[in-house]
């Protein structure tokens, strides 16, 4: 008989593998590889995701890794920008390429104008242009447009972004700094390195180590790929199988930890595009109905607060005219329990010291429910 894993059991397993149950001592590149990349759609909010997961986290050191080309940001899973190591760029990008192909040719804005274009020729021209240095989208579009005058420059650039691995170069994404969005090719940025053979089974094992136990639909949601049952079914002899409370089949690694559902989970602050929230077809192992309703009402992704492992509130940092930094933590629909408030303020105070070290004063406040029940 197949074991049923309840919501809390899945929650604790996921938190541990996401390094959210206890902060990890892993070096940043090792942690990024364990997590199979960190979604880095925004220039800086993803630093909070690493701060919440790693002990003694140093954002400046992470920025230095970007500048030293030991970490890179480019389009990967779900055709979204991810922070990865160069070795994972080489391992993951060819596997994910069908997602990017589909996105290009079915894209509402770019699919039709790119349909009859010689895309390999566009990519070859872009590769040559980028060999001389990073370019903004406008700069690259201006170079390509004279050769394909009947195609919008933005569409040409989008085709290059989907067909050629483009690294978003520093200072964009470096902690405490900013800069124009500029890209160059991975080969120009990292050198012409051999591409390892695509190994889907290995990637699925890595996903389970960071997100499991998980269903095939979860794997497809995380990656953006389809037909992953064709990969997973031959792996059954090496995997354990469970069911969730709805009867959905879940897969896991035999030696993976699945903590007791009663394991304590301290408050954690997640960022807006945290993969712990976005990488499951069924997000209920972490995401509450109140969180989902909040998103639907506001139309923006809230920066979530986890209490007892589940989304229970959101948070925002604001600066006053005098430089004072205030972190406001708002419950979603019901006030926080008294027993949780002290831990929330303690964790929030640490986060505020990280985000606003230069503030002359810092405050953590518990706000009113965002959407009172």
């Amino acid at each position: 008989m197949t074991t049923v894993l309840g919501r809390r059991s899945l929650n604790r397993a996921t938190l541990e593998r996401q390094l959210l149950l206890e902060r990890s001592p892993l070096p940043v590149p090792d942690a990024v590889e364990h997590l199979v990349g960190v979604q880095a759609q925004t220039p800086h909010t993803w630093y909070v995701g690493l701060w919440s997961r790693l002990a003694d986290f140093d954002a400046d050191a992470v920025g230095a890794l970007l500048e030293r080309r030991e970490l890179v940001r480019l389009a990967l899973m779900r055709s979204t920008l991810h922070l990865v190591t160069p070795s994972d760029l080489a391992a993951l990008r060819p596997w994910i390429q069908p997602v990017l192909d589909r996105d290009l040719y079915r894209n509402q804005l770019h699919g039709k104008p790119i349909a009859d274009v010689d895309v390999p020729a566009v990519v070859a021209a872009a590769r040559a242009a980028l060999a001389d240095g990073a370019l903004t989208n406008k700069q690259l579009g201006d170079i390509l447009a004279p050769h394909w005058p009947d195609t919008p420059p933005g569409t040409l650039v989008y085709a290059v972004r989907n067909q050629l691995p483009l690294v978003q170069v520093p200072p964009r994404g470096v902690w405490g700094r900013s800069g124009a969005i500029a890209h160059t090719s991975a080969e120009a940025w990292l050198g012409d390195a051999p591409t390892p053979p695509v190994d889907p089974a290995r990637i699925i094992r890595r996903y389970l180590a960071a997100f499991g136990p998980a269903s095939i639909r979860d794997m497809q949601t995380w990656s953006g790929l389809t037909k992953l049952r064709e990969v997973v079914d031959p792996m059954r002899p090496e995997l354990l199988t469970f069911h969730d409370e709805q009867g959905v089949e879940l897969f896991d690694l035999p030696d993976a930890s699945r903590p007791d559902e009663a394991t304590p989970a301290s408050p954690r602050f997640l960022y807006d595009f945290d993969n712990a929230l976005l990488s499951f077809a069924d997000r209920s192992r972490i995401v509450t109905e109140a969180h989902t309703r909040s998103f639907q009402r506001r139309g923006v992704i809230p920066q979530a607060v986890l209490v007892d492992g589940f989304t229970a509130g959101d948070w925002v940092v604001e600066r006053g005219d005098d430089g004072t930094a205030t972190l406001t933590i708002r419950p979603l629909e019901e006030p926080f329990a008294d027993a949780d408030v002290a831990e929330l303020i303690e964790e929030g105070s640490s986060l505020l010291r990280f985000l606003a070290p230069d503030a002359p004063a810092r405050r953590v406040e518990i706000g009113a429910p965002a959407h009172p029940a």
Side-chain angles (χ1 to χ4, degrees):
M1 182 175 178
T2 304
T3 300
V4 174
L5 294 177
R7 182 170 177 245
R8 288 185 64 85
S9 295
L10 290 172
N11 176 270
R12 293 317 194 247
T14 305
L15 291 181
E16 180 169 75
R17 298 183 205 189
Q18 280 291 298
L19 314 181
L20 290 167
L21 202 56
E22 297 286 345
R23 280 185 166 87
S24 170
L26 282 173
V28 170
D30 293 350
V32 170
E33 288 198 343
H34 166 76
L35 295 166
V36 205
V38 172
Q39 186 157 340
Q41 203 75 359
T42 60
H44 297 124
T45 63
W46 52 270
Y47 281 87
V48 173
L50 291 174
W51 175 87
S52 289
R53 288 168 165 85
L54 301 179
D56 302 318
F57 178 67
D58 184 343
D60 291 326
V62 177
L65 292 172
L66 281 169
E67 294 182 304
R68 294 202 304 267
R69 311 185 187 195
E70 295 176 40
L71 292 173
V72 292
R73 296 165 65 234
L74 80 161
L76 285 170
M77 283 69 72
R78 305 184 297 278
S79 192
T80 58
L81 209 62
H82 273 69
L83 175 80
V84 293
T85 61
S87 60
D88 264 359
L89 183 161
L92 295 170
R93 178 64 186 238
W95 185 63
I96 289 297
Q97 190 57 48
V99 178
L100 296 156
D101 295 340
R102 184 178 70 237
D103 175 53
L104 174 60
Y105 290 104
R106 296 182 185 177
N107 187 274
Q108 186 174 3
L109 180 62
H110 303 295
K112 187 174 181 180
I114 203 65
D116 298 322
V117 174
D118 184 351
V119 172
V122 175
V123 170
R127 179 183 280 114
L130 292 165
D132 295 329
L135 298 170
T136 66
N137 286 350
K138 184 180 186 308
Q139 290 169 334
L140 181 57
D142 288 345
I143 291 170
L144 299 175
H147 303 284
W148 290 273
D150 297 328
T151 305
T155 293
L156 297 172
V157 171
Y158 197 77
V160 174
R161 178 256 194 199
N162 279 41
Q163 298 298 296
L164 182 68
L166 294 183
V167 173
Q168 192 175 113
V169 301
R172 188 77 174 181
V174 174
W175 185 250
R177 296 171 62 188
S178 188
I181 299 174
H183 299 87
T184 190
S185 66
E187 60 198 43
W189 189 247
L190 299 171
D192 189 12
T195 301
V198 175
D199 188 349
R202 180 174 181 270
I203 296 171
I204 293 300
R205 286 192 290 271
R206 291 185 59 194
Y207 169 79
L208 291 174
F211 295 92
S215 70
I216 289 174
R217 286 188 62 222
D218 292 329
M219 301 171 197
Q220 294 180 163
T221 296
W222 165 71
S223 64
L225 289 163
T226 59
K227 301 181 180 179
L228 288 185
R229 184 171 294 279
E230 297 173 6
V231 178
V232 175
D233 275 346
M235 298 174 64
R236 285 179 178 274
E238 65 179 90
L239 300 176
L240 297 181
T241 57
F242 303 92
H243 285 108
D244 67 13
E245 293 172 324
Q246 285 70 47
V248 175
E249 187 176 36
L250 306 173
F251 297 88
D252 205 6
L253 303 174
D255 58 350
S257 174
R258 288 173 289 278
D260 188 276
E261 66 176 32
T263 302
S266 299
R268 290 289 185 265
F269 290 79
L270 305 187
Y271 67 107
D272 40 4
F273 292 101
D274 201 299
N275 268 336
L277 304 176
L278 302 178
S279 299
F280 301 97
D282 180 359
R283 301 177 181 180
S284 65
R285 66 178 65 198
I286 292 179
V287 176
T288 59
E289 291 181 6
H291 178 95
T292 301
R293 286 194 293 270
S294 177
F295 168 72
Q296 291 170 341
R297 288 166 177 156
R298 296 167 59 191
V300 296
I301 301 175
Q303 298 192 113
V305 177
L306 302 186
V307 175
D308 190 31
F310 296 93
T311 53
D314 59 24
W315 62 275
V316 64
V317 173
E318 297 174 308
R319 287 286 192 123
D321 292 339
D322 62 352
T324 297
T326 301
L327 169 63
T328 302
I329 308 168
R330 299 189 307 174
L332 291 173
E333 294 182 345
E334 301 288 344
F336 295 121
D338 291 343
D340 296 320
V341 169
E343 282 192 294
L344 282 166
I345 291 176
E346 181 180 3
E347 182 76 357
S349 297
S350 296
L351 175 60
L352 197 53
R353 287 194 295 273
F354 167 68
L355 291 174
D358 60 333
R362 292 182 287 267
R363 292 196 302 264
V364 177
E365 298 179 350
I366 303 295
H371 304 287

